[in-house]
Amino acid sequence: MDSEVFRRIRDYLADQLEAGPEKITPDSDIVNDFGADRLEVIDMITTLSDEFGVEIPDEDIENFHTVGDVVNYLEERI
C-alpha cells in the first residue's frame, strides 16, 4: 500500500506520534505500536476527517485499529 492517502496519513501520524515515517506501515497498530490512547486516536481521526473532507461517525472510529484501517476507510469514501 503506497497510495497518496497512505502517504498523507503516514506523514501526519509520524508528526503527531513522534515516530519515524518509515516505522509506520499499513499494519501498524495505532494504540499498541505507538502508545496512543483512545482520546488521541479520536483527535487524530477527527483531524484526518477534516483534511480529507470525509465525515467519520464516532461508532466507525471504534473499528480503527491499524493505519491500514484508516487508509481503507478514507479511500472508500473520497
Side-chain angles (χ1 to χ4, degrees):
M1 177 183 296
D2 193 32
S3 67
E4 176 66 23
V5 172
F6 170 70
R7 286 191 294 277
R8 287 173 59 189
I9 291 172
R10 179 197 60 207
D11 293 345
Y12 170 75
L13 292 176
D15 183 56
Q16 293 300 306
L17 300 170
E18 299 178 359
E22 70 282 353
K23 294 184 179 189
I24 299 174
T25 69
D27 294 327
S28 296
D29 185 297
I30 299 167
V31 173
N32 294 325
D33 292 343
F34 302 109
D37 63 32
R38 288 309 293 161
L39 187 57
E40 290 172 311
V41 171
I42 291 168
D43 185 49
M44 287 184 282
I45 298 301
T46 300
T47 299
L48 289 169
S49 75
D50 291 344
E51 168 139 351
F52 286 95
V54 174
E55 186 70 30
I56 304 175
D58 290 344
E59 58 271 11
D60 287 353
I61 294 174
E62 296 297 320
N63 297 318
F64 298 147
H65 301 286
T66 67
V67 174
D69 293 339
V70 180
V71 172
N72 291 332
Y73 185 93
L74 290 171
E75 284 183 335
E76 289 173 4
R77 287 160 178 81
I78 56 174

